[in-house]
Amino acid sequence: MKISSKIKLAAFLLFILIGTLGFEMAWVSALSLKNIQQIQLLSEKIRLLNDIKLLGYKLIKEISDYIDGQNPYDKTDYFYFSTLINQKLVSIESLFSDNEEKTSFEAIKEQWKNLSSCSLSILEEATKLTSKEHLEAKKEEIEKKEYYKFDKIIADIQNKVYLQAINSIAEKEQQLVSFSQTVFPLSFLCSGVILWLVYRWQNLGISLPLQKLIEVVENGKAEPKKIIFPSFHGEIGKLSEAFAHLFEKIDKFQSKLIESERIASIGAMAAAVAHGIKNPLSSIRALAEVSLLQDNLDESAKETLKEIMKETDTLNSRINHLLSYTKPSVPNRHPTNLNDLLRALIPSISRTPSKAITIDLQLDPSLPPILSDSSQIEQVIIELLANAINASEKGGLIQIITRSDPAQKEVLLEIVDHGQGIPTAIIDTIFQPFFTTSPEGTGLGLAIAKRYSEQNGGLLTIQSEVGKGTIASIKFSSFNG
C-alpha cells in the first residue's frame, strides 16, 4: 500500500473515530434535551394546575365578598376569574396526552362546570335579594362540597404529575447511566483499536522501514561496496531501490575517478618518457637512413640498417599511440554517416597484407546519421579491427554490421570475428590501459576505443566465447537534425 493511501486510510479512521465520539455526544445531548423538555412539560402542567386552583379559590372568595358586601365589583371580578379559568383549561388540555391524564382532566372540567353552575346560581339569588341565611348556607355548601371536590381533583392530578416527573427523572437518569456504561467503554475500546491500527501502519509501514534504511546508509558510509539495501513493499521499497541504484552509480563514479587519477599519473609519466625517447629515436632513424645511402655497404649491413629503421618506426608508432591516449582531444562532433565512413576506411585496411582477411560489410541502407567526431570514430574502428585481425586465423572472415532501431532511436555498429575468443577470466580487464595479451601490443587499443566511444555518446561492449569468436558492439544515439 502506498504511503499516501496509508495516510488517507489513517485520516479516514480518525474521521470515523471523531465522528463516533461526536455522534455519542450528540446522542447524549439529544437525550438530555428530551429529558429537559419532558420535565419542562410536567412543570408547565403543575404551574397551570396551580393557576387554576388559585383562580378557583379567588372565585369562591369573590362570591363570598359579593354576598357579604353586595359590591358590584366583586361580581365583575368573579366573571373575570371564571373567564381565566376557562382559558387555562383550554390551554392545558393539549398537555394531557395519555388516556389516564385525559380522564382526570375531564373530571376537572366536569367539576368546574358544577362549581361554575352553583356559583352562578348563588349570584342570581343574591341579585334577587334572597335571605342572607339562605345565601350563607348555599355559599358554605359550595365551599365545602363543590370547591372541595374541584380542589381535590386538581390536587390529585398535581400529585400524579409530581410523581410522574420524579419517575421520569429517575428513568432518564438510569437511561443515561446505562448508555454511558455501555457506549463509552465501547467507544474507548474502538478508539484504542483505531489508534493502535494507525500507529501500527505508521510505525511498520513508514517509521521502521525509514529508520532501517537510514541505519543501512549510515553503516555503509565506511564501505559503500558492502551495502545491502533491505527490500520493502510500496514506496519505501522504491526508495530503497533508488538508494541502491544511487550508491551503485556513486561506486562506479568513484571507481572511474580512481581509475582516471591512476591513468592520469601513468599518462603523465608515460608522456615524459615518450618525449624523452622520441627525439633519440628520430636521430637513430635519421642516422640509419643516411648510412644506408653509402655505396660501400655490403648486403648484411644494409639489412641491419633497414631493420633498425623498421624497428624505430614501430617504436615511434607505439610512442604516438601512447601520446594519443595520454593527451585525449576534445571531440569535434558533427553529423556522421557510419556507412560512408566504413566504405571509405575498409578498402585501405583490406589492402594490408597481414593475414589475407576477408571483410564482409553488412550495412543498413536506411541507417540514420550519428553526432560524432569522424576522426575519433575512425580511430575506434581501426583499433577494433586490429584486434579482430590479430584474433583471426589466416584467411579468416570479419563481419562489419550496421543497423538501426527507430523505436529506441539508436544506431548499432558490430565488428564480428570468428577467432580464438577472449577467456572469461580476463574479459573484465580488457579495457584497462596497458593490459594486453599480444607481445606486439601496447595495451591501449581498447582503452582508446572505449574512451573515444564514450566521448561521442556511444557505449562499447565486448561479447566473446573462447573458440568461437568475439563481437564488439557500439551503440550510438541517432541524430535527427
Side-chain angles (χ1 to χ4, degrees):
M1 184 183 292
K2 293 183 178 180
I3 294 177
S4 58
S5 300
K6 290 182 180 179
I7 293 174
K8 289 179 181 178
L9 181 59
F12 176 71
L13 291 176
L14 290 176
F15 175 77
I16 292 178
L17 173 60
I18 295 171
T20 303
L21 295 177
F23 175 76
E24 291 176 4
M25 296 301 297
W27 178 267
V28 171
S29 301
L31 192 60
S32 301
L33 180 61
K34 187 177 180 181
N35 294 342
I36 292 172
Q37 289 173 343
Q38 289 181 347
I39 300 301
Q40 286 177 341
L41 178 63
L42 295 173
S43 300
E44 182 68 10
K45 288 181 183 180
I46 294 171
R47 184 185 67 80
L48 290 173
L49 289 171
N50 274 332
D51 289 345
I52 294 172
K53 190 176 181 180
L54 181 60
L55 289 171
Y57 172 76
K58 288 182 178 180
L59 184 139
I60 296 300
K61 188 175 181 304
E62 293 299 327
I63 293 173
S64 178
D65 291 344
Y66 181 73
I67 293 173
D68 292 339
Q70 299 294 318
N71 187 348
Y73 290 107
D74 293 330
K75 187 176 181 180
T76 303
D77 290 340
Y78 165 82
F79 285 110
Y80 172 71
F81 291 136
S82 178
T83 302
L84 285 178
I85 290 174
N86 286 324
Q87 291 175 352
K88 294 288 184 182
L89 288 173
V90 171
S91 64
I92 198 175
E93 185 174 7
S94 61
L95 300 180
F96 294 95
S97 56
D98 60 25
N99 293 330
E100 185 179 356
E101 288 182 344
K102 288 180 178 180
T103 302
S104 299
F105 182 71
E106 290 297 327
I108 293 176
K109 289 171 65 178
E110 187 65 30
Q111 188 57 39
W112 163 244
K113 287 181 182 180
N114 295 335
L115 180 59
S116 176
S117 175
C118 291
S119 300
L120 288 173
S121 175
I122 196 172
L123 285 176
E124 289 176 358
E125 291 181 5
T127 305
K128 296 176 181 179
L129 300 177
T130 307
S131 65
K132 193 170 183 179
E133 290 79 5
H134 178 73
L135 292 175
E136 287 291 338
K138 292 286 287 187
K139 182 187 75 170
E140 186 176 353
E141 181 183 358
I142 290 174
E143 289 177 350
K144 289 184 178 181
K145 184 179 179 181
E146 301 300 333
Y147 177 73
Y148 174 77
K149 288 182 179 179
F150 182 72
D151 184 73
K152 187 177 185 305
I153 291 173
I154 292 176
D156 289 342
I157 294 178
Q158 282 182 317
N159 290 334
K160 288 181 181 179
V161 173
Y162 277 125
L163 185 61
Q164 185 180 0
I166 292 171
N167 291 335
S168 177
I169 292 172
E171 181 184 354
K172 301 306 178 184
E173 181 183 5
Q174 185 61 36
Q175 286 181 358
L176 285 174
V177 170
S178 300
F179 180 81
S180 301
Q181 289 177 345
T182 304
V183 175
F184 281 115
L186 184 61
S187 66
F188 279 115
L189 178 62
C190 293
S191 302
V193 171
I194 291 174
L195 292 175
W196 179 79
L197 287 174
V198 172
Y199 167 77
R200 181 176 176 83
W201 282 330
Q202 185 270 340
N203 192 43
L204 296 181
I206 301 175
S207 299
L208 288 180
L210 285 178
Q211 184 179 356
K212 191 171 182 180
L213 195 59
I214 291 171
E215 289 177 357
V216 169
V217 173
E218 290 292 332
N219 295 334
K221 283 183 177 179
E223 296 181 281
K225 292 184 178 180
K226 294 185 178 180
I227 292 182
I228 299 177
F229 284 92
S231 177
F232 301 107
H233 295 290
E235 292 167 312
I236 302 295
K238 292 181 180 179
L239 182 62
S240 178
E241 292 175 2
F243 269 111
H245 186 62
L246 178 62
F247 269 77
E248 183 181 353
K249 283 190 172 182
I250 291 174
D251 182 51
K252 289 181 178 179
F253 179 78
Q254 286 180 334
S255 299
K256 286 183 178 181
L257 185 62
I258 293 171
E259 183 67 18
S260 298
E261 291 176 351
R262 185 179 72 85
I263 292 172
S265 61
I266 294 174
M269 181 182 65
V273 173
H275 280 293
I277 296 175
K278 193 173 180 66
N279 292 333
L281 273 180
S282 299
S283 300
I284 293 172
R285 191 185 188 290
L287 183 60
E289 190 174 1
V290 170
S291 299
L292 192 61
L293 297 175
Q294 295 180 8
D295 297 330
N296 56 350
L297 293 177
D298 55 18
E299 288 300 321
S300 176
K302 288 182 179 180
E303 289 298 324
T304 301
L305 290 172
K306 288 180 180 180
E307 186 66 24
I308 291 173
M309 291 174 63
K310 178 182 175 183
E311 292 299 325
T312 54
D313 287 341
T314 302
L315 189 56
N316 192 51
S317 175
R318 292 184 179 181
I319 291 173
N320 289 333
H321 210 183
L322 177 62
L323 290 176
S324 67
Y325 181 76
T326 57
K327 291 184 180 180
S329 60
V330 178
N332 180 21
R333 300 175 68 182
H334 55 274
T336 304
N337 189 291
L338 280 179
N339 290 346
D340 295 341
L341 188 66
L342 289 167
R343 289 190 187 99
L345 180 64
I346 296 306
S348 61
I349 296 176
S350 301
R351 287 193 294 267
T352 304
S354 52
K355 293 184 177 180
I357 298 296
T358 301
I359 297 178
D360 178 25
L361 290 178
Q362 301 178 19
L363 308 181
D364 182 359
S366 62
L367 193 73
I370 62 172
L371 195 64
S372 67
D373 186 327
S374 57
S375 62
Q376 288 189 349
I377 298 301
E378 183 177 316
Q379 184 66 33
V380 170
I381 296 171
I382 290 172
E383 299 293 350
L384 295 177
L385 277 175
N387 284 342
I389 291 170
N390 289 334
S392 298
E393 299 292 335
K394 188 174 182 179
L397 172 67
I398 295 176
Q399 297 168 292
I400 301 179
I401 305 167
T402 61
R403 60 173 176 267
S404 63
D405 185 352
Q408 300 295 327
K409 296 182 180 181
E410 292 177 343
V411 172
L412 183 67
L413 168 64
E414 290 183 340
I415 297 178
V416 184
D417 70 66
H418 304 277
Q420 57 192 5
I422 303 172
T424 306
I426 64 171
I427 192 70
D428 293 332
T429 60
I430 58 176
F431 292 115
Q432 291 183 4
F434 309 111
F435 175 82
T436 182
T437 57
S438 173
E440 294 83 13
T442 60
L444 295 173
L446 286 178
I448 291 174
K450 183 175 178 61
R451 173 180 287 182
Y452 283 175
S453 296
E454 292 176 351
Q455 286 181 350
N456 288 272
L459 177 63
L460 172 61
T461 57
I462 302 293
Q463 296 177 336
S464 185
E465 188 175 350
V466 175
K468 292 187 177 181
T470 303
I471 302 175
S473 303
I474 310 176
K475 190 180 292 183
F476 298 97
S477 296
S478 61
F479 178 73
N480 296 319

